[in-house]
Amino acid sequence: MELLKIQKTLQQIAEAISSVIEIDVTITDKNLVRIAGTGKYKQQIGEKISIDGVFASCLRDNKPYIVHNPKQAKVCQNCSQKEVCTECAEVVNPIKVEGIAEGTIGLIAFDEAQKKRLLKNEVNILIFLQKMSDMIASTLIEKERSSEIKILANQLQTIMDVMDRGIIIVDGIGDIKYKNKIADNLLAMSAQKFKNIQEIINHTNLKSFNLNHKLDSKEFEFKHNDGHFISGTISTKILEDESKVQSVVIIIQEIQRLIKSARNIISANIATPFDNIIYKSSIMEATVQFAKKAANSNSTVLITGESGTGKELFARAIHHHSERRKEPFIAINCSAIPENLFESELFGYSEGAFTGASKGGHPGKFELAHRGTLLLDEIGDMPLHLQPKLLRVIQDGKVTRVGGSRQIDVDVRIIASTNVNLEQKVRNKEFREDLYYRLNVIPLHIPSLSERGEDIELITEYFLEKYAQKLAKKVKTIDVEALYIIKNHIWKGNIRELQNTIEYAVNMAEGISISQKDLPPRFQNQGLSIWQLNDSKTAKSVYKITKIEDLEKQEILKALEYKAQNNITIDEICRLLGIGKATFYRKCRSYNIYD
């Protein structure tokens, strides 16, 4: 502890003592620096006194000294100032804080009259000095504790101000004693000059609020004077003393802050740029360029394609390439949610909406995706009776929670995806036509792996490197025979199937190269005939019988790619293929090909 912290108080004490007993006073700290003084010593405040005089002995020995004759006293014999000393008598006492000398206080007589007064009552004077020392120590301790309390209060204030919840502390009758910045901003407390918690409650939909009854995360709405609402939860902590409420801590949590925390956990906002899409084919180049154009818009996108083609990857890339990239990307699989839970998952629910509903309610995916992107994966499996509500939300930008009545504004960019023919579902009355057209503003078709055969080897090499590293295997290549099989396989599961196949093969491989025996069992009997060209070469020729329908599909896809590159008409394509227009469209539908 430092006496310097109460220097002003010590100077006042020194002057008060000196004025009463008409003897000069000096006070030093534990470093023998004079921090208070009267008479000639007042001019020497801040200077260091002798390190071998009576004050130094008092500090070192932690005991008082009474000096009758400074020049002859034993305690003064080693003092470097002895020859020039003008003091006639001294009474010095240590200032002890918790038993440790933190400084000294002394009375000094400079003439015989002062000496006589000082020594005549030396015992009483010493007792007086000891009392003064104790008072100084108490003042210092109080100052230290006051300073510590102030620091703790400032730390607590800082902690409460940076919390993501509003904090209000009221006394037993509800008068507001403290509020943090969050509460002040959320409820406009300073602006509206709220003095009592009931004034705030009057702006909410809470029908009853009792300080004596603990609240546990009750949902509420607060209406500002300008008419706009904030939604949140309110809970209370009651602090009692002898069964009487002394104060209540009121905790306010804004729903939007809860949503922001939740969506960061749910979506993880995985950055997925278009660079993550692996390709070299012209058809994929055109698809990626089209998707980048779609990313610059806020219109809904309908992504179609077979299962496993990477529809969600494209959806994430569109989000990452858009102006909403810093906001959440939320995905919901419409085929994976039980129909009875679908509405609450998508639109959220209010407190008490149904048995088992969480206190305070729960935000739906639309609220979680506010200002970001919502992917409705497998949209074709969305229950028919919920489709009008989805259409209304897309058109109006507002959601109403299950069991609630207030409309909540949401700003969400919708991307839907499906591997089924939605047009056919519309014709079969299994999907609403108006919703289909609202979703299909920007249609994006992801080519199947059979449409981009030249990408297979590149993708295979990527997965081989990925899983060799992940599984700590030394596999580096794939041999000619295994690669031929992979390139000529009909990938019904597309990239997802290819990925699983390569992961399996890397696990099974024993050397540095993947061979046919390392591929999954379904690849072991592919109807292949392999023979050596001659004894001196290791090159192999391989042939495989291909189904007529696969050849037809392949030629139609080639023709469509040729059409796109050369800007020719469907009639010309049909002429090149040698089939009629009706037959062409029938085969396209049969092979799930969309131009």
Side-chain angles (χ1 to χ4, degrees):
M1 294 188 180
E2 298 181 7
L3 288 172
L4 192 61
K5 292 180 180 179
I6 55 171
Q7 184 179 26
K8 185 176 180 180
T9 301
L10 295 179
Q11 184 61 30
Q12 292 173 344
I13 291 172
E15 290 176 355
I17 294 172
S18 180
S19 65
V20 172
I21 64 177
E22 297 181 342
I23 295 176
D24 283 330
V25 181
T26 191
I27 300 175
T28 74
D29 65 9
K30 60 184 176 183
N31 297 313
L32 294 175
V33 174
R34 198 185 315 273
I35 56 176
T38 62
K40 73 173 188 176
Y41 289 134
K42 188 173 184 178
Q43 307 303 317
Q44 298 175 11
I45 293 175
E47 296 178 1
K48 193 165 185 176
I49 67 172
S50 173
I51 61 172
D52 44 21
V54 63
F55 281 83
S57 297
C58 174
L59 188 68
R60 182 185 64 248
D61 300 336
N62 200 11
K63 68 178 184 179
Y65 280 90
I66 299 175
V67 181
H68 295 83
N69 298 295
K71 291 184 178 182
Q72 286 80 39
K74 182 178 179 180
V75 72
C76 297
Q77 292 307 302
N78 295 323
C79 181
S80 59
Q81 302 296 315
K82 182 175 69 171
E83 298 303 324
V84 295
C85 182
T86 59
E87 298 172 0
C88 297
E90 299 167 305
V91 178
V92 185
N93 193 76
I95 300 173
K96 299 180 183 181
V97 178
E98 297 178 348
I100 300 173
E102 295 290 339
T104 61
I105 179 170
L107 301 179
I108 300 100
F110 286 99
D111 56 37
E112 289 300 322
Q114 288 182 339
K115 179 179 179 178
K116 186 176 180 180
R117 285 200 305 277
L118 184 61
L119 298 179
K120 181 180 179 181
N121 299 296
E122 63 181 60
V123 175
N124 291 332
I125 288 289
L126 184 58
I127 293 173
F128 171 73
L129 275 187
Q130 290 172 341
K131 296 292 185 184
M132 294 305 298
S133 296
D134 291 343
M135 186 187 75
I136 291 171
S138 298
T139 302
L140 180 59
I141 291 171
E142 184 180 350
K143 175 72 174 179
E144 288 280 351
R145 287 177 179 170
S146 176
S147 178
E148 289 175 3
I149 291 171
K150 187 175 181 180
I151 291 171
L152 287 173
N154 288 337
Q155 290 174 341
L156 181 60
Q157 173 83 38
T158 301
I159 291 169
M160 294 177 79
D161 280 341
V162 301
M163 290 177 67
D164 62 353
R165 293 177 291 177
I167 304 294
I168 305 171
I169 300 177
V170 302
D171 61 17
I173 60 173
D175 287 340
I176 297 168
K177 299 302 180 183
Y178 170 81
K179 60 183 181 296
N180 70 350
K181 291 179 181 178
I182 294 290
D184 196 15
N185 293 335
L186 284 178
L187 308 178
M189 295 176 66
S190 295
Q192 301 200 39
K193 299 179 180 179
F194 292 134
K195 301 296 183 184
N196 190 281
I197 191 62
Q198 192 59 49
E199 298 174 41
I200 296 174
I201 299 302
N202 291 341
H203 281 254
T204 72
N205 61 337
L206 298 176
K207 296 179 179 178
S208 61
F209 183 82
N210 192 324
L211 286 174
N212 295 291
H213 297 161
K214 181 182 177 182
L215 278 180
D216 185 15
S217 192
K218 184 174 181 62
E219 189 175 4
F220 78 100
E221 290 178 351
F222 179 89
K223 185 177 182 180
H224 283 266
N225 285 343
D226 61 4
H228 84 274
F229 286 86
I230 68 154
S231 299
T233 60
I234 182 171
S235 55
T236 61
K237 306 285 185 183
I238 300 174
L239 306 179
E240 296 179 329
D241 183 16
E242 297 179 355
S243 299
K244 183 180 179 182
V245 175
Q246 296 296 321
S247 62
V248 179
V249 179
I250 300 166
I251 304 165
I252 306 291
Q253 182 87 14
E254 187 188 13
I255 291 295
Q256 283 301 323
R257 289 178 181 269
L258 281 169
I259 289 173
K260 188 173 181 180
S261 298
R263 70 191 189 186
N264 286 339
I265 296 171
I266 293 171
S267 71
N269 281 334
I270 303 169
T272 309
F274 281 106
D275 291 345
N276 285 20
I277 300 172
I278 301 166
Y279 66 92
K280 66 177 181 179
S281 62
S282 57
I283 190 171
M284 277 300 290
E285 174 64 26
T287 304
V288 169
Q289 293 306 317
F290 184 81
K292 286 181 178 180
K293 289 181 181 179
N296 295 326
S297 169
N298 274 320
S299 296
T300 56
V301 177
L302 178 60
I303 303 177
T304 58
E306 295 178 7
S307 178
T309 51
K311 295 186 290 296
E312 182 171 340
L313 181 65
F314 266 87
R316 287 185 177 273
I318 289 171
H319 171 75
H320 181 77
H321 199 73
S322 73
E323 294 181 351
R324 297 173 180 260
R325 67 180 65 89
K326 294 183 180 179
E327 300 300 334
F329 176 92
I330 303 294
I332 181 171
N333 190 320
C334 299
S335 65
I337 300 173
E339 188 170 334
N340 61 327
L341 297 178
F342 199 99
E343 185 174 7
S344 59
E345 278 292 317
L346 201 57
F347 307 119
Y349 58 82
S350 296
E351 183 175 338
F354 49 82
T355 303
S358 300
K359 289 186 177 181
H362 188 78
K365 294 297 190 291
F366 267 97
E367 289 180 73
L368 292 173
H370 183 55
R371 296 196 179 95
T373 302
L374 176 61
L375 171 63
L376 301 173
D377 193 18
E378 305 299 348
I379 187 66
D381 294 323
M382 186 177 193
L384 193 61
H385 72 278
L386 290 179
Q387 292 179 22
K389 188 168 185 178
L390 174 60
L391 178 63
R392 196 176 312 116
V393 172
I394 294 174
Q395 291 176 338
D396 299 341
K398 299 177 185 294
V399 296
T400 302
R401 290 185 178 184
V402 175
S405 57
R406 188 173 70 84
Q407 291 187 320
I408 301 168
D409 291 329
V410 289
D411 173 16
V412 176
R413 200 265 176 94
I414 300 292
I415 299 178
S417 66
T418 182
N419 63 356
V420 300
N421 189 333
L422 281 188
E423 288 184 347
Q424 185 62 49
K425 296 200 77 165
V426 170
R427 288 192 290 270
N428 295 341
K429 306 299 182 184
E430 297 172 343
F431 199 87
R432 288 183 63 99
E433 185 176 16
D434 49 4
L435 178 59
Y436 169 71
Y437 288 118
R438 191 66 187 85
L439 294 173
N440 197 33
V441 176
I442 303 178
L444 174 64
H445 178 71
I446 310 302
S448 65
L449 205 50
S450 62
E451 298 174 76
R452 44 184 295 211
E454 58 192 296
D455 292 335
I456 292 177
E457 184 173 350
L458 188 65
I459 297 170
T460 298
E461 291 172 352
Y462 168 78
F463 286 135
L464 190 153
E465 182 179 352
K466 174 182 176 180
Y467 287 110
Q469 183 177 3
K470 181 178 179 180
L471 301 171
K473 301 277 285 189
K474 295 181 179 180
V475 184
K476 296 183 182 298
T477 61
I478 182 167
D479 70 20
V480 175
E481 183 179 337
L483 182 59
Y484 178 89
I485 293 171
I486 287 172
K487 290 173 71 173
N488 287 274
H489 179 69
I490 303 301
W491 296 100
K492 295 181 179 179
N494 291 288
I495 295 175
R496 188 181 296 118
E497 183 187 358
L498 175 57
Q499 178 180 1
N500 294 343
T501 297
I502 300 304
E503 182 177 3
Y504 175 93
V506 171
N507 272 294
M508 295 298 107
E510 297 177 353
I512 63 170
S513 182
I514 292 173
S515 61
Q516 181 182 4
K517 67 179 179 61
D518 300 318
L519 298 177
R522 66 183 184 278
F523 291 87
Q524 299 307 319
N525 184 14
Q526 294 274 321
L528 297 173
S529 295
I530 304 170
W531 70 93
Q532 295 296 121
L533 289 176
N534 54 59
D535 294 337
S536 61
K537 296 182 180 180
T538 57
K540 297 178 180 179
S541 291
V542 186
Y543 70 84
K544 175 185 176 183
I545 304 300
T546 304
K547 293 180 180 179
I548 296 298
E549 62 182 29
D550 291 334
L551 286 173
E552 279 191 341
K553 182 176 181 181
Q554 180 179 327
E555 291 306 309
I556 289 173
L557 291 171
K558 284 169 60 178
L560 287 173
E561 186 172 350
Y562 180 78
K563 170 183 174 290
Q565 291 175 350
N566 296 277
N567 195 27
I568 61 177
T569 66
I570 290 292
D571 290 332
E572 291 175 278
I573 286 295
C574 292
R575 183 178 58 79
L576 290 172
L577 290 170
I579 59 177
K581 204 171 183 179
T583 302
F584 173 79
Y585 283 122
R586 178 173 54 78
K587 288 184 179 293
C588 283
R589 287 194 297 273
S590 174
Y591 299 138
N592 200 23
I593 297 173
Y594 302 97
D595 182 21

Short mmCIF file of all heavy atoms in Angstrom, two decimals, residues 67-77 82 87-88 115:
data_model
loop_
_atom_site.label_atom_id
_atom_site.label_comp_id
_atom_site.label_asym_id
_atom_site.label_seq_id
_atom_site.Cartn_x
_atom_site.Cartn_y
_atom_site.Cartn_z
N VAL A 67 13.56 11.05 21.09
CA VAL A 67 14.94 11.54 21.10
C VAL A 67 14.98 12.85 21.87
O VAL A 67 14.41 13.87 21.44
CB VAL A 67 15.46 11.75 19.67
CG1 VAL A 67 16.91 12.24 19.71
CG2 VAL A 67 15.35 10.45 18.87
N HIS A 68 15.68 12.84 23.01
CA HIS A 68 15.77 14.05 23.85
C HIS A 68 16.84 15.00 23.32
O HIS A 68 16.64 16.22 23.31
CB HIS A 68 16.07 13.68 25.31
CG HIS A 68 14.96 12.91 25.96
ND1 HIS A 68 14.80 11.55 25.83
CD2 HIS A 68 13.93 13.33 26.79
CE1 HIS A 68 13.75 11.14 26.52
NE2 HIS A 68 13.19 12.21 27.13
N ASN A 69 17.99 14.45 22.95
CA ASN A 69 19.10 15.27 22.45
C ASN A 69 19.63 14.64 21.16
O ASN A 69 20.45 13.71 21.20
CB ASN A 69 20.22 15.35 23.50
CG ASN A 69 19.74 16.01 24.77
OD1 ASN A 69 19.40 17.19 24.78
ND2 ASN A 69 19.68 15.23 25.87
N PRO A 70 19.17 15.11 20.02
CA PRO A 70 19.49 14.47 18.75
C PRO A 70 20.97 14.23 18.50
O PRO A 70 21.34 13.16 18.02
CB PRO A 70 18.91 15.43 17.72
CG PRO A 70 17.74 16.06 18.43
CD PRO A 70 18.21 16.22 19.85
N LYS A 71 21.85 15.17 18.85
CA LYS A 71 23.27 15.00 18.52
C LYS A 71 23.95 13.99 19.43
O LYS A 71 24.95 13.39 19.04
CB LYS A 71 23.99 16.34 18.58
CG LYS A 71 23.56 17.28 17.46
CD LYS A 71 24.38 18.56 17.49
CE LYS A 71 23.99 19.48 16.34
NZ LYS A 71 24.78 20.72 16.30
N GLN A 72 23.43 13.83 20.67
CA GLN A 72 24.05 12.89 21.59
C GLN A 72 23.38 11.53 21.61
O GLN A 72 23.95 10.55 22.10
CB GLN A 72 24.01 13.46 23.02
CG GLN A 72 25.00 14.58 23.27
CD GLN A 72 24.52 15.91 22.75
OE1 GLN A 72 23.33 16.22 22.85
NE2 GLN A 72 25.44 16.72 22.18
N ALA A 73 22.11 11.43 21.12
CA ALA A 73 21.36 10.17 21.19
C ALA A 73 22.04 9.07 20.38
O ALA A 73 22.64 9.33 19.34
CB ALA A 73 19.93 10.39 20.69
N LYS A 74 21.96 7.86 20.92
CA LYS A 74 22.61 6.72 20.27
C LYS A 74 22.06 6.50 18.86
O LYS A 74 22.81 6.18 17.92
CB LYS A 74 22.39 5.48 21.12
CG LYS A 74 23.08 4.22 20.57
CD LYS A 74 22.85 3.04 21.50
CE LYS A 74 23.52 1.79 20.94
NZ LYS A 74 23.32 0.61 21.83
N VAL A 75 20.73 6.68 18.69
CA VAL A 75 20.09 6.43 17.42
C VAL A 75 20.54 7.41 16.35
O VAL A 75 20.38 7.17 15.15
CB VAL A 75 18.56 6.45 17.57
CG1 VAL A 75 18.05 7.88 17.79
CG2 VAL A 75 17.87 5.79 16.38
N CYS A 76 21.16 8.52 16.81
CA CYS A 76 21.59 9.56 15.85
C CYS A 76 23.07 9.50 15.52
O CYS A 76 23.55 10.31 14.70
CB CYS A 76 21.25 10.95 16.40
SG CYS A 76 19.48 11.26 16.64
N GLN A 77 23.80 8.60 16.12
CA GLN A 77 25.25 8.61 15.99
C GLN A 77 25.72 8.36 14.56
O GLN A 77 26.76 8.88 14.14
CB GLN A 77 25.88 7.58 16.94
CG GLN A 77 25.75 7.95 18.40
CD GLN A 77 26.25 9.35 18.67
OE1 GLN A 77 27.43 9.67 18.41
NE2 GLN A 77 25.38 10.21 19.19
N LYS A 82 24.09 14.71 11.17
CA LYS A 82 24.21 15.03 12.61
C LYS A 82 24.87 16.38 12.83
O LYS A 82 24.40 17.18 13.67
CB LYS A 82 25.02 13.93 13.30
CG LYS A 82 25.18 14.16 14.81
CD LYS A 82 25.86 13.01 15.49
CE LYS A 82 27.33 12.93 15.07
NZ LYS A 82 28.07 11.94 15.88
N GLU A 87 17.58 20.20 14.93
CA GLU A 87 16.44 19.71 15.70
C GLU A 87 16.86 19.57 17.17
O GLU A 87 17.99 19.14 17.47
CB GLU A 87 15.97 18.38 15.14
CG GLU A 87 15.46 18.49 13.69
CD GLU A 87 15.17 17.15 13.06
OE1 GLU A 87 15.35 16.12 13.75
OE2 GLU A 87 14.74 17.11 11.88
N CYS A 88 15.92 19.90 18.08
CA CYS A 88 16.21 19.85 19.52
C CYS A 88 15.62 18.61 20.19
O CYS A 88 16.11 18.16 21.23
CB CYS A 88 15.69 21.11 20.22
SG CYS A 88 16.48 22.62 19.65
N LYS A 115 10.76 22.07 22.76
CA LYS A 115 11.30 20.84 23.34
C LYS A 115 10.66 20.56 24.69
O LYS A 115 10.30 19.41 25.01
CB LYS A 115 12.81 20.97 23.48
CG LYS A 115 13.47 19.75 24.10
CD LYS A 115 14.98 19.94 24.18
CE LYS A 115 15.65 18.72 24.82
NZ LYS A 115 17.13 18.87 24.85
#
